[in-house]
Amino acid sequence: MTTEIARVQGALDSAGERARSLQTVYVYQAPVRLWHWVNALLIVVLCVTGYFIGTPLPSVPGEASASYQMGYIRFVHFAAGQTLVVFFLLRVYWAFVGNKYSKQIFWLPLTNKTWWWGMLYEFKWYAFLVKDPKKYIGHNPLAHVAMFSFMVFMVLMMLSGMALYSEGHGIDSWQYKLFGFMFSLFTSQTLHTLHHLGMWAIVVFVIVHIYAAVREDILSRQSMISSIISGERLFRDDLPD
Protein backbone atom coordinates (compact mmCIF):
# COMPACT_ATOMS: atom_id res chain seq x y z
CA MET A 1 0.00 0.00 0.00
CA THR A 2 2.77 2.44 0.88
CA THR A 3 4.35 2.02 -2.58
CA GLU A 4 1.10 3.28 -4.09
CA ILE A 5 1.22 6.57 -2.15
CA ALA A 6 2.80 9.50 -3.96
CA ARG A 7 3.20 13.12 -3.01
CA VAL A 8 0.58 15.55 -4.32
CA GLN A 9 2.40 18.73 -5.27
CA GLY A 10 0.40 21.95 -4.94
CA ALA A 11 -3.03 20.44 -4.35
CA LEU A 12 -5.30 22.94 -2.61
CA ASP A 13 -8.91 23.06 -1.61
CA SER A 14 -11.06 26.01 -2.71
CA ALA A 15 -10.12 27.95 0.43
CA GLY A 16 -6.42 27.57 -0.25
CA GLU A 17 -5.68 24.73 2.16
CA ARG A 18 -2.93 22.42 0.94
CA ALA A 19 -3.69 18.75 0.41
CA ARG A 20 -2.11 16.02 2.44
CA SER A 21 0.82 14.27 0.79
CA LEU A 22 -1.21 11.46 -0.64
CA GLN A 23 -1.97 10.23 -4.11
CA THR A 24 -5.63 9.97 -3.14
CA VAL A 25 -7.71 11.96 -0.67
CA TYR A 26 -11.06 10.79 0.70
CA VAL A 27 -13.41 13.69 -0.04
CA TYR A 28 -17.02 12.64 -0.55
CA GLN A 29 -18.50 10.59 2.26
CA ALA A 30 -21.12 7.91 1.55
CA PRO A 31 -24.17 10.07 2.48
CA VAL A 32 -22.95 12.81 0.12
CA ARG A 33 -22.48 10.34 -2.73
CA LEU A 34 -25.87 8.78 -2.08
CA TRP A 35 -27.52 12.21 -2.08
CA HIS A 36 -25.77 13.16 -5.32
CA TRP A 37 -27.03 10.15 -7.27
CA VAL A 38 -30.53 10.16 -5.76
CA ASN A 39 -30.70 13.87 -6.49
CA ALA A 40 -29.59 13.28 -10.09
CA LEU A 41 -32.26 10.60 -10.60
CA LEU A 42 -34.99 12.76 -9.06
CA ILE A 43 -34.02 15.74 -11.22
CA VAL A 44 -34.29 13.60 -14.37
CA VAL A 45 -37.72 12.35 -13.29
CA LEU A 46 -38.87 15.86 -12.40
CA CYS A 47 -37.67 17.36 -15.68
CA VAL A 48 -39.30 14.65 -17.82
CA THR A 49 -42.63 14.71 -15.97
CA GLY A 50 -42.51 18.50 -15.67
CA TYR A 51 -42.10 18.79 -19.42
CA PHE A 52 -45.21 16.70 -20.03
CA ILE A 53 -47.17 18.65 -17.42
CA GLY A 54 -46.29 21.86 -19.27
CA THR A 55 -46.77 20.25 -22.69
CA PRO A 56 -49.43 17.57 -22.21
CA LEU A 57 -49.62 14.50 -24.39
CA PRO A 58 -52.26 14.43 -27.17
CA SER A 59 -55.75 13.48 -26.09
CA VAL A 60 -56.60 9.78 -26.22
CA PRO A 61 -59.92 8.41 -27.46
CA GLY A 62 -62.57 6.94 -25.20
CA GLU A 63 -63.93 7.87 -21.81
CA ALA A 64 -61.74 10.06 -19.62
CA SER A 65 -62.19 7.61 -16.76
CA ALA A 66 -60.47 4.93 -18.83
CA SER A 67 -57.23 6.90 -19.10
CA TYR A 68 -55.38 8.38 -16.16
CA GLN A 69 -52.16 9.10 -18.05
CA MET A 70 -51.70 12.71 -16.96
CA GLY A 71 -52.75 11.78 -13.44
CA TYR A 72 -49.91 9.28 -13.21
CA ILE A 73 -47.43 11.81 -14.63
CA ARG A 74 -48.50 14.42 -12.09
CA PHE A 75 -48.35 11.89 -9.26
CA VAL A 76 -44.78 10.89 -10.18
CA HIS A 77 -43.81 14.57 -10.42
CA PHE A 78 -45.28 15.39 -7.01
CA ALA A 79 -43.75 12.31 -5.37
CA ALA A 80 -40.32 13.01 -6.86
CA GLY A 81 -40.52 16.66 -5.79
CA GLN A 82 -41.37 15.83 -2.20
CA THR A 83 -38.61 13.21 -2.11
CA LEU A 84 -36.21 15.86 -3.41
CA VAL A 85 -37.17 18.13 -0.50
CA VAL A 86 -36.61 15.35 2.05
CA PHE A 87 -33.18 14.47 0.67
CA PHE A 88 -32.24 18.14 0.51
CA LEU A 89 -33.03 18.53 4.21
CA LEU A 90 -30.98 15.42 4.97
CA ARG A 91 -28.13 16.89 2.92
CA VAL A 92 -28.29 20.12 4.94
CA TYR A 93 -28.14 18.04 8.12
CA TRP A 94 -25.07 16.20 6.85
CA ALA A 95 -23.35 19.51 6.16
CA PHE A 96 -23.29 20.00 9.93
CA VAL A 97 -22.15 16.50 10.92
CA GLY A 98 -20.05 15.44 7.92
CA ASN A 99 -16.49 16.31 6.99
CA LYS A 100 -15.44 19.80 5.91
CA TYR A 101 -16.01 19.04 2.23
CA SER A 102 -19.68 18.24 2.87
CA LYS A 103 -20.19 21.88 3.89
CA GLN A 104 -18.58 23.39 0.82
CA ILE A 105 -21.62 23.83 -1.44
CA PHE A 106 -23.55 25.74 1.24
CA TRP A 107 -21.17 28.65 1.76
CA LEU A 108 -18.67 30.81 -0.11
CA PRO A 109 -15.34 31.97 1.43
CA LEU A 110 -15.80 35.52 0.11
CA THR A 111 -13.11 36.97 2.39
CA ASN A 112 -10.42 34.55 1.20
CA LYS A 113 -8.11 36.19 -1.36
CA THR A 114 -6.70 32.83 -2.48
CA TRP A 115 -10.22 31.68 -3.32
CA TRP A 116 -10.86 34.76 -5.47
CA TRP A 117 -7.53 34.28 -7.25
CA GLY A 118 -8.38 30.63 -7.83
CA MET A 119 -11.78 31.50 -9.29
CA LEU A 120 -10.16 33.85 -11.79
CA TYR A 121 -7.56 31.24 -12.67
CA GLU A 122 -10.21 28.55 -13.13
CA PHE A 123 -12.18 30.85 -15.42
CA LYS A 124 -9.06 31.21 -17.57
CA TRP A 125 -8.51 27.44 -17.41
CA TYR A 126 -12.02 26.65 -18.63
CA ALA A 127 -11.60 29.29 -21.37
CA PHE A 128 -8.33 27.61 -22.49
CA LEU A 129 -6.35 30.76 -21.67
CA VAL A 130 -3.85 29.02 -19.38
CA LYS A 131 -1.97 25.79 -19.96
CA ASP A 132 -1.69 24.10 -16.58
CA PRO A 133 -4.60 23.15 -14.28
CA LYS A 134 -4.58 23.69 -10.54
CA LYS A 135 -5.22 20.79 -8.19
CA TYR A 136 -8.07 20.90 -5.70
CA ILE A 137 -9.24 18.43 -3.10
CA GLY A 138 -12.88 19.51 -3.13
CA HIS A 139 -14.58 21.72 -5.70
CA ASN A 140 -12.40 24.24 -7.48
CA PRO A 141 -13.49 27.86 -6.79
CA LEU A 142 -15.45 28.27 -10.03
CA ALA A 143 -17.25 24.96 -9.52
CA HIS A 144 -17.78 25.99 -5.91
CA VAL A 145 -19.69 29.10 -7.04
CA ALA A 146 -21.66 27.06 -9.57
CA MET A 147 -22.73 24.43 -7.02
CA PHE A 148 -23.59 27.05 -4.39
CA SER A 149 -25.70 28.94 -6.94
CA PHE A 150 -27.39 25.71 -7.98
CA MET A 151 -28.30 24.94 -4.37
CA VAL A 152 -29.86 28.40 -3.98
CA PHE A 153 -31.73 27.89 -7.25
CA MET A 154 -32.97 24.46 -6.15
CA VAL A 155 -34.35 25.99 -2.95
CA LEU A 156 -36.35 28.45 -5.07
CA MET A 157 -37.57 25.60 -7.28
CA MET A 158 -38.65 23.56 -4.25
CA LEU A 159 -40.44 26.54 -2.71
CA SER A 160 -42.28 27.34 -5.94
CA GLY A 161 -43.09 23.67 -6.56
CA MET A 162 -44.52 23.17 -3.08
CA ALA A 163 -46.51 26.41 -3.41
CA LEU A 164 -48.03 25.25 -6.69
CA TYR A 165 -48.75 21.86 -5.13
CA SER A 166 -50.51 23.56 -2.22
CA GLU A 167 -53.03 25.16 -4.59
CA GLY A 168 -54.70 21.80 -5.06
CA HIS A 169 -55.03 21.31 -1.29
CA GLY A 170 -56.61 24.67 -0.54
CA ILE A 171 -55.69 27.59 1.67
CA ASP A 172 -56.45 25.65 4.85
CA SER A 173 -53.82 22.98 4.12
CA TRP A 174 -50.47 22.90 5.90
CA GLN A 175 -48.79 23.06 2.51
CA TYR A 176 -50.43 26.39 1.74
CA LYS A 177 -49.71 27.75 5.21
CA LEU A 178 -46.01 26.97 4.75
CA PHE A 179 -45.53 27.85 1.09
CA GLY A 180 -48.47 30.07 0.21
CA PHE A 181 -46.32 33.17 0.80
CA MET A 182 -45.00 32.63 -2.72
CA PHE A 183 -48.35 33.83 -4.07
CA SER A 184 -47.82 37.16 -2.33
CA LEU A 185 -44.71 37.55 -4.47
CA PHE A 186 -46.04 36.16 -7.75
CA THR A 187 -49.39 35.42 -9.30
CA SER A 188 -50.23 31.76 -9.78
CA GLN A 189 -49.68 31.92 -13.56
CA THR A 190 -46.35 33.76 -13.16
CA LEU A 191 -45.18 31.17 -10.63
CA HIS A 192 -46.16 28.36 -13.01
CA THR A 193 -44.19 30.04 -15.80
CA LEU A 194 -41.11 30.67 -13.65
CA HIS A 195 -41.17 27.10 -12.34
CA HIS A 196 -41.37 25.75 -15.89
CA LEU A 197 -38.54 28.02 -17.08
CA GLY A 198 -36.54 26.86 -14.08
CA MET A 199 -36.78 23.32 -15.45
CA TRP A 200 -34.96 24.40 -18.61
CA ALA A 201 -32.34 26.22 -16.53
CA ILE A 202 -31.71 22.93 -14.69
CA VAL A 203 -31.36 21.10 -18.02
CA VAL A 204 -28.70 23.61 -19.12
CA PHE A 205 -26.89 23.31 -15.78
CA VAL A 206 -26.85 19.50 -15.99
CA ILE A 207 -25.33 19.63 -19.49
CA VAL A 208 -22.62 22.07 -18.37
CA HIS A 209 -22.05 20.10 -15.16
CA ILE A 210 -21.46 16.83 -17.02
CA TYR A 211 -19.23 18.54 -19.60
CA ALA A 212 -17.12 20.18 -16.89
CA ALA A 213 -16.75 16.92 -14.94
CA VAL A 214 -15.66 14.95 -18.02
CA ARG A 215 -13.35 17.77 -19.15
CA GLU A 216 -11.65 18.00 -15.77
CA ASP A 217 -11.32 14.23 -15.54
CA ILE A 218 -9.44 14.21 -18.84
CA LEU A 219 -7.50 17.49 -18.92
CA SER A 220 -6.74 18.27 -15.29
CA ARG A 221 -5.55 14.74 -14.48
CA GLN A 222 -7.73 14.68 -11.36
CA SER A 223 -10.53 12.17 -10.90
CA MET A 224 -13.98 13.74 -10.99
CA ILE A 225 -16.56 11.19 -12.09
CA SER A 226 -15.04 8.30 -10.18
CA SER A 227 -14.68 10.51 -7.08
CA ILE A 228 -18.44 10.83 -6.67
CA ILE A 229 -18.65 7.03 -6.87
CA SER A 230 -15.72 5.98 -4.68
CA GLY A 231 -15.44 9.16 -2.63
CA GLU A 232 -11.70 9.50 -3.29
CA ARG A 233 -9.98 12.20 -5.33
CA LEU A 234 -7.14 10.71 -7.37
CA PHE A 235 -4.29 12.88 -8.65
CA ARG A 236 -3.02 11.03 -11.73
CA ASP A 237 0.03 13.20 -12.38
CA ASP A 238 1.41 12.08 -9.03
CA LEU A 239 1.19 8.36 -9.73
CA PRO A 240 4.50 6.62 -9.03
CA ASP A 241 6.59 5.48 -11.96
Side-chain angles (χ1 to χ4, degrees):
M1 177 63 70
T2 55
T3 59
E4 297 177 358
I5 297 178
R7 182 173 299 276
V8 177
Q9 300 293 341
L12 306 173
D13 65 11
S14 67
E17 182 176 344
R18 189 165 300 279
R20 294 175 299 167
S21 299
L22 299 176
Q23 173 190 316
T24 62
V25 180
Y26 186 62
V27 180
Y28 303 116
Q29 296 170 300
V32 173
R33 304 198 305 272
L34 175 64
W35 169 80
H36 176 274
W37 292 112
V38 171
N39 204 52
L41 175 62
L42 291 173
I43 286 175
V44 170
V45 171
L46 285 165
C47 286
V48 172
T49 55
Y51 173 80
F52 285 118
I53 290 173
T55 309
L57 295 166
S59 299
V60 294
E63 293 293 331
S65 60
S67 177
Y68 195 62
Q69 198 170 51
M70 284 304 301
Y72 290 128
I73 291 174
R74 283 166 55 84
F75 171 77
V76 171
H77 188 80
F78 296 155
Q82 293 174 34
T83 306
L84 186 77
V85 172
V86 172
F87 270 84
F88 177 80
L89 294 176
L90 291 174
R91 181 63 180 84
V92 171
Y93 164 75
W94 193 257
F96 288 98
V97 301
N99 65 14
K100 60 182 179 181
Y101 304 109
S102 65
K103 305 172 177 61
Q104 193 177 26
I105 62 175
F106 293 104
W107 69 285
L108 297 176
L110 298 177
T111 59
N112 190 301
K113 294 181 180 180
T114 302
W115 182 82
W116 282 103
W117 175 86
M119 186 167 61
L120 177 61
Y121 190 94
E122 287 302 309
F123 179 82
K124 294 178 180 178
W125 163 248
Y126 280 105
F128 297 97
L129 297 177
V130 292
K131 181 179 179 181
D132 299 317
K134 297 297 180 183
K135 298 178 181 180
Y136 294 93
I137 303 175
H139 293 295
N140 68 59
L142 196 59
H144 189 173
V145 172
M147 292 305 301
F148 174 83
S149 301
F150 182 69
M151 287 297 101
V152 173
F153 182 76
M154 287 301 296
V155 169
L156 296 176
M157 287 294 287
M158 287 184 283
L159 290 175
S160 61
M162 289 301 297
L164 294 172
Y165 178 73
S166 72
E167 281 189 304
H169 289 268
I171 61 175
D172 293 326
S173 65
W174 66 266
Q175 293 96 334
Y176 196 92
K177 290 177 181 178
L178 284 178
F179 305 102
F181 71 91
M182 295 294 290
F183 296 115
S184 64
L185 302 175
F186 308 98
T187 64
S188 177
Q189 184 57 51
T190 300
L191 200 58
H192 273 87
T193 301
L194 292 175
H195 192 73
H196 190 71
L197 290 175
M199 176 199 74
W200 290 111
I202 290 174
V203 170
V204 172
F205 173 85
V206 169
I207 294 172
V208 174
H209 180 62
I210 294 175
Y211 162 76
V214 174
R215 180 187 185 276
E216 286 298 280
D217 218 311
I218 296 172
L219 297 183
S220 72
R221 304 288 294 165
Q222 304 169 58
S223 65
M224 295 292 165
I225 299 174
S226 61
S227 293
I228 203 61
I229 297 175
S230 67
E232 294 188 336
R233 174 82 75 230
L234 171 66
F235 299 91
R236 298 191 187 91
D237 283 343
D238 298 290
L239 289 171
D241 296 331

